[in-house]
Amino acid sequence: MILVKVVVIALGGNAFLRKGQRGVVDEQWDNVSKAMKQVADIVEKGYRVILTHGNGPQVGNILEWMEALAYKIPPLTMDIANAMTQGWLGYMIQQALHNELMRRGINRVVLPIINRVLVDKYDSAFRNPTKYIGPYYTKEEAQEIAIKKGWIMRLDPRGGWRRVVPSPNPIDNLEVEAIKKLVNEGYIVIASGGGGIPVIKENKEFRGVEAVIDKDLASEVLATKLGADYLVILTDVDGVMLNYGKPSQKLLRKLTVSEAEKLYKAGHFPPGSMGPKVLACIRFIKHGGEKAFIGHLYKALDTLEERSGTVILPD
Amino acid sequence: MILVKVVVIALGGNAFLRKGQRGVVDEQWDNVSKAMKQVADIVEKGYRVILTHGNGPQVGNILEWMEALAYKIPPLTMDIANAMTQGWLGYMIQQALHNELMRRGINRVVLPIINRVLVDKYDSAFRNPTKYIGPYYTKEEAQEIAIKKGWIMRLDPRGGWRRVVPSPNPIDNLEVEAIKKLVNEGYIVIASGGGGIPVIKENKEFRGVEAVIDKDLASEVLATKLGADYLVILTDVDGVMLNYGKPSQKLLRKLTVSEAEKLYKAGHFPPGSMGPKVLACIRFIKHGGEKAFIGHLYKALDTLEERSGTVILPD
């Protein structure tokens, strides 16, 4: 009997766009190709891989396009904008990974799927939106937009007024059974892109909502529902740090879930960056996962094999 | 033994946008929901369904968005624009069909996949681009763009100068084996959206190209490679007409493939509208398909069961 570990890998924004880049399409392909060499290393070792990815800058671009031409082309909603990034980034990952695997003589199908993630329509995030999205506006523009469109506008500390939308908690992945079947067939599935298309269930049907689901929390739901062994969150730092950015900064190489939870609850990890990553790992282990990892995108296999990054384990 | 017919259904633009509409998102959902009632009728009868769809107006919107903000956000390429429409429209179909099936108590998974279609890099279309895409420009703007971006610009008879891109012949569907497996498992797969993401093979790798594949011809490749029994092309007219738009207009209810080919070669069907639909049907039957249909979107089941529309049969 061969034991094959099933690994959900969540790619951070640096898989598509690196610091200082404007996002020219050739740069994007270079970044994705570089990231897929890392993923191919893991596939080549025999792991069964499911990929998920963020979409912050890309969904931002789409919303900015829509707003700029709103006078001419009726703008679409955020669920559709998310679906568009699943197409865009899913295709780039598919093509780059397929090419890299062919180069290595590995014959595997890479299949991005359009994937919805269920949230609760009574989630408190709908009463308290916190996620900044789309273009920046002046205060006057923001006031006008708030009246005209009913959007909630807040001052983003990064400079300028922006729309805020809810970031509700993911509770289920609507396509998980199909993903499981595909993974069992040996396919490399790309799913839950950008946190998944956010939908609620209402009057016995599914309906998209104007919200953004955190991609790491959505990856955890996917990994847990799939019964994956490992969850690997790849980003642009080497792992979970104490005192991040200070002279006393310290990489934590190994944490039990209780240790991680204690640090998380004490507020050591900022929301919107390391916070949800650590929370996703805590949830994954509590839901029965074997190991969760946080590491640098360019040290993916090293992270998974514990030569780099942070591993979070059951107590 | 139960014989289940496998049917590839190609949805025309009216599944998303109807004449006179601006494309407000609620209109789009209404249109898709109405179209999916038709598809659900076919699913309910026990056919195994694979859906494909056009994307003309939607890819046009995306290109227009990109061009309008090109000074600020680096515009992307047409393969990526196509992938974005696969996400957008695939999601809308998925959600509307899933909801319609749930209403009828039918428990089936609807799965849109990101799907590439192979073209030949030596296809003569690359030397003779004919497909109008994106925004309209004045002659002066068009000349400037041609010099600056190297695009080929032509006068569109619909009014104004536009970019033209190649429309190469589809030769293979890169994800067809996965689609076949999913169909055999009972999934309703959405694939080859907008004619598929156009890629060539070069130096042993796949690379996206600036082109648009005709969605009906791509549907034929998908249907043939899947070994589907039927190909159904749904549009906004009742079927194949002789003398279309003239007082002597006549709906052809039944054609052998030889009859269809004779009419096609005699130039009875305009390129860019009925022409490629009839050509797709001819190819499908010649490649071993049992029946090909062309009919109105709102008479889908009637078309498939030969109470409406045109059926094309082997000789």
Side-chain angles (χ1 to χ4, degrees):
Chain A
M1 193 170 103
I2 304 167
L3 282 174
V4 181
K5 293 291 182 185
V6 175
V7 187
V8 170
I9 301 176
L11 301 168
N14 57 335
F16 308 105
L17 202 62
R18 278 187 276 170
K19 279 196 184 102
Q21 291 182 334
R22 288 183 62 231
V24 172
V25 70
D26 290 342
E27 290 172 347
Q28 294 189 34
W29 281 115
D30 282 349
N31 298 335
V32 175
S33 299
K34 200 168 171 197
M36 289 310 121
K37 285 188 205 300
Q38 300 289 320
V39 172
D41 287 344
I42 293 173
V43 173
E44 201 167 5
K45 284 272 181 169
Y47 295 95
R48 289 221 163 144
V49 168
I50 300 99
L51 289 170
T52 81
H53 59 82
N55 73 349
Q58 293 80 21
V59 86
N61 285 354
I62 291 172
L63 294 172
E64 199 151 345
W65 286 330
M66 288 177 182
E67 283 312 305
L69 281 192
Y71 66 94
K72 193 178 172 188
I73 300 172
L76 304 167
T77 46
M78 296 214 53
D79 51 340
I80 294 176
N82 179 298
M84 289 170 71
T85 68
Q86 290 191 353
W88 167 2
L89 303 173
Y91 159 57
M92 295 191 94
I93 292 173
Q94 172 185 50
Q95 184 120 301
L97 183 55
H98 189 185
N99 284 338
E100 181 63 31
L101 293 174
M102 284 195 301
R103 244 172 254 134
R104 301 182 187 204
I106 301 169
N107 183 22
R108 298 285 290 282
V109 174
V110 185
L111 199 68
I113 67 157
I114 300 304
N115 190 199
R116 297 168 297 166
V117 168
L118 186 67
V119 300
D120 182 348
K121 68 174 176 165
Y122 299 113
D123 193 304
S124 64
F126 288 107
R127 296 188 302 275
N128 179 31
T130 54
K131 177 91 183 163
Y132 295 101
I133 56 151
Y136 291 80
Y137 299 95
T138 65
K139 191 174 179 181
E140 291 67 34
E141 285 169 338
Q143 283 172 331
E144 200 180 311
I145 287 168
I147 293 163
K148 209 171 122 193
K149 306 202 184 193
W151 292 356
I152 299 171
M153 307 295 288
R154 286 205 187 134
L155 185 62
D156 186 333
R158 282 158 287 195
W161 288 74
R162 293 176 82 189
R163 183 178 180 194
V164 285
V165 294
S167 188
N169 196 45
I171 53 180
D172 202 0
N173 184 305
L174 294 189
E175 279 72 46
V176 72
E177 289 308 319
I179 297 166
K180 194 180 277 184
K181 195 148 283 175
L182 289 163
V183 171
N184 288 340
E185 292 282 351
Y187 294 121
I188 299 170
V189 180
I190 302 158
S192 194
I197 304 169
V199 300
I200 57 170
K201 196 161 189 184
E202 195 169 54
N203 302 326
K204 294 183 185 165
E205 45 184 74
F206 294 107
R207 193 166 63 74
V209 286
E210 300 267 13
V212 170
I213 302 171
D214 181 88
K215 78 112 175 37
D216 295 309
L217 299 183
S219 303
E220 186 276 323
V221 170
L222 176 62
T224 294
K225 301 266 170 180
L226 274 177
D229 301 290
Y230 299 157
L231 171 64
V232 183
I233 298 177
L234 298 175
T235 181
D236 57 357
V237 293
D238 272 342
V240 181
M241 312 271 189
L242 271 191
N243 305 317
Y244 180 63
K246 294 179 192 159
S248 58
Q249 167 179 312
K250 182 172 174 283
L251 175 68
L252 301 170
R253 291 296 317 280
K254 193 179 276 201
L255 291 170
T256 66
V257 65
S258 295
E259 288 166 346
E261 197 165 25
K262 212 168 141 185
L263 293 169
Y264 179 81
K265 286 189 175 163
H268 280 279
F269 312 118
S273 68
M274 193 50 79
K277 294 186 203 317
V278 173
L279 181 58
C281 292
I282 292 168
R283 287 183 179 174
F284 179 65
I285 299 299
K286 284 190 162 185
H287 290 145
E290 195 178 321
K291 292 180 183 181
F293 306 86
I294 298 174
H296 197 286
L297 174 63
Y298 295 147
K299 297 174 186 168
L301 183 59
D302 283 346
T303 298
L304 180 56
E305 295 187 340
E306 299 183 40
R307 291 181 297 274
S308 177
T310 302
V311 58
I312 298 174
L313 299 160
D315 289 327
Chain B
M1 194 170 103
I2 304 168
L3 283 172
V4 180
K5 294 291 183 186
V6 175
V7 187
V8 170
I9 302 175
L11 301 167
N14 56 336
F16 309 105
L17 202 62
R18 279 185 278 169
K19 279 195 185 102
Q21 292 182 333
R22 291 182 60 230
V24 172
V25 70
D26 290 341
E27 290 171 349
Q28 293 188 33
W29 282 114
D30 281 349
N31 297 334
V32 175
S33 299
K34 201 170 169 196
M36 289 311 119
K37 285 186 204 299
Q38 300 289 321
V39 172
D41 287 344
I42 293 173
V43 172
E44 200 167 5
K45 282 272 183 172
Y47 295 94
R48 287 220 166 146
V49 168
I50 301 98
L51 289 170
T52 81
H53 59 83
N55 72 350
Q58 293 79 22
V59 87
N61 285 354
I62 291 172
L63 295 172
E64 199 152 342
W65 286 329
M66 288 176 182
E67 282 312 306
L69 280 193
Y71 67 94
K72 192 178 172 188
I73 300 172
L76 304 168
T77 47
M78 296 213 52
D79 51 338
I80 294 175
N82 179 297
M84 287 169 71
T85 67
Q86 289 191 354
W88 168 1
L89 303 172
Y91 159 57
M92 294 191 93
I93 292 172
Q94 173 186 47
Q95 185 120 302
L97 183 54
H98 189 186
N99 284 337
E100 181 63 30
L101 293 174
M102 284 195 300
R103 243 172 255 134
R104 300 182 188 204
I106 300 169
N107 183 22
R108 296 285 291 281
V109 175
V110 185
L111 199 68
I113 65 157
I114 300 304
N115 190 200
R116 297 167 298 165
V117 168
L118 185 68
V119 300
D120 183 350
K121 66 174 177 165
Y122 300 113
D123 193 305
S124 64
F126 289 108
R127 296 188 302 276
N128 179 30
T130 54
K131 178 88 183 166
Y132 295 101
I133 56 151
Y136 292 81
Y137 299 96
T138 65
K139 194 176 178 181
E140 291 67 36
E141 286 168 338
Q143 283 172 332
E144 199 180 312
I145 287 168
I147 293 164
K148 208 172 123 191
K149 307 201 184 195
W151 291 356
I152 300 173
M153 308 295 288
R154 284 204 189 134
L155 186 62
D156 186 332
R158 282 159 287 195
W161 288 74
R162 293 177 83 189
R163 183 178 181 194
V164 284
V165 294
S167 187
N169 197 43
I171 53 182
D172 201 1
N173 184 305
L174 295 189
E175 280 70 49
V176 72
E177 289 308 320
I179 298 166
K180 193 180 280 183
K181 194 148 283 178
L182 289 164
V183 172
N184 288 340
E185 293 282 351
Y187 294 120
I188 299 170
V189 180
I190 302 158
S192 196
I197 304 170
V199 299
I200 58 170
K201 196 163 188 182
E202 196 170 52
N203 302 326
K204 294 183 184 166
E205 45 183 74
F206 294 107
R207 193 166 64 74
V209 287
E210 299 267 12
V212 169
I213 302 172
D214 180 89
K215 78 111 173 39
D216 295 310
L217 298 182
S219 303
E220 186 278 320
V221 170
L222 175 62
T224 293
K225 301 267 169 180
L226 275 178
D229 301 289
Y230 300 156
L231 171 64
V232 184
I233 298 177
L234 299 174
T235 181
D236 57 357
V237 293
D238 272 342
V240 180
M241 312 270 188
L242 271 191
N243 306 316
Y244 180 63
K246 292 178 193 161
S248 59
Q249 166 180 312
K250 183 173 173 283
L251 176 66
L252 302 170
R253 291 296 316 279
K254 194 178 276 199
L255 291 170
T256 67
V257 66
S258 297
E259 289 166 346
E261 197 165 25
K262 212 169 140 186
L263 293 168
Y264 179 81
K265 286 187 175 163
H268 281 278
F269 312 119
S273 70
M274 193 51 79
K277 294 185 202 318
V278 173
L279 181 58
C281 292
I282 292 169
R283 288 183 179 175
F284 179 65
I285 300 299
K286 285 190 160 183
H287 290 145
E290 195 177 320
K291 292 181 182 180
F293 306 85
I294 298 173
H296 197 286
L297 173 63
Y298 296 147
K299 297 173 185 167
L301 182 61
D302 283 346
T303 298
L304 180 57
E305 296 187 340
E306 298 183 42
R307 292 181 296 273
S308 177
T310 303
V311 58
I312 299 175
L313 299 160
D315 289 329

